[in-house]
Amino acid sequence: MNKLRKIVIVIAIIGLAARAFRGAGDNGERELQNIAAKFERGEFEEGVEQLAEFVENHPDDEIAWTMLGNAYLGLDQNENAEEAFRNALAIDRDMARAAVGLGVTLRQQGEIDEAQKQYEHAIDVEPTYAIAHSSLAVIYLIQKDNKNAIRVAEKAAKLDPNNPTIFANLCMVYHQTDQFGKRDLAAAEAKRLGYSQMKKINEMMSEK
């Protein structure tokens, strides 16, 4: 697992653990936050084991399933991630973060149209969810729909101006659409925000 992906997954898990929980109760909430702390410390495998045990005891907790899906993504276990996200969505179809997670697993499997549906649903449910917009921009790029790729990538940056990954995606969109001046600005912002994979960004920019 590369450093950037690990950071993104940890942020997703911690963010979910901070949300209000239904069904698990106060003890369940504390337990999930303790598990999230393990991911923050880099104890991924132990965290996954405890999350898997937690959902066995709390099978109707959609947030725990979503956390588990993100954890599996971090370990490149896409089949397990997909199952966890689908379990979350079976409980709450409007769990936007689970929809985006499922979209990621589907895109990695080449199911582009199905991934797009998940991202669009997440945006319908939570219009200000910047990661959903940024993820959808990647789909539009794959489909060579440059106009919409630029539109949603720029919207994501406006919704979350402090997210380095979103600016890295924006940089990629501008690069692929030959808007090199804007690409360079987006790359500079990603770097300023602490994007950890600037080497890859620089390699991409050197291609044209």
Side-chain angles (χ1 to χ4, degrees), residues 4-171:
L4 172 65
R5 186 166 187 174
K6 180 177 179 180
I7 291 170
V8 171
I9 297 303
V10 167
I11 290 171
I13 290 171
I14 293 172
L16 283 162
R19 291 167 67 94
F21 291 86
R22 297 198 303 272
D26 291 341
N27 290 336
E29 180 176 349
R30 284 194 295 272
E31 185 176 350
L32 282 176
Q33 292 192 0
N34 288 337
I35 293 171
K38 289 186 179 294
F39 288 97
E40 192 172 12
R41 294 193 298 268
E43 301 170 10
F44 256 72
E45 292 185 1
E46 185 176 350
V48 169
E49 289 178 3
Q50 291 190 9
L51 270 176
E53 182 178 347
F54 184 93
V55 295
E56 284 186 12
N57 295 324
H58 304 278
D60 295 328
D61 193 313
E62 72 276 19
I63 294 178
W65 279 113
T66 304
M67 288 173 64
L68 182 59
N70 277 306
Y72 281 137
L73 273 181
L75 295 174
D76 295 319
Q77 296 182 22
N78 282 3
E79 290 185 5
N80 288 334
E82 179 180 348
E83 181 181 2
F85 289 130
R86 289 192 184 280
N87 285 338
L89 291 167
I91 299 164
D92 182 358
R93 182 65 185 93
D94 292 338
M95 184 70 182
R97 283 155 180 75
V100 169
L102 179 57
V104 171
T105 66
L106 293 171
R107 177 176 60 79
Q108 292 177 350
Q109 296 170 32
E111 298 182 37
I112 304 305
D113 291 342
E114 291 302 313
Q116 181 175 353
K117 290 177 183 177
Q118 296 300 324
Y119 296 147
E120 289 174 341
H121 179 68
I123 291 169
D124 287 341
V125 172
E126 195 171 331
T128 60
Y129 187 24
I131 290 295
H133 290 274
S134 188
S135 299
L136 183 58
V138 175
I139 296 294
Y140 284 136
L141 270 187
I142 294 171
Q143 297 172 336
K144 302 188 184 304
D145 185 350
N146 292 345
K147 182 178 179 180
N148 277 321
I150 293 168
R151 176 181 61 82
V152 296
E154 289 179 341
K155 184 169 185 177
K158 290 179 181 177
L159 289 169
D160 190 353
N162 297 311
N163 188 318
T165 302
I166 283 176
F167 277 92
N169 276 357
L170 181 60
C171 175

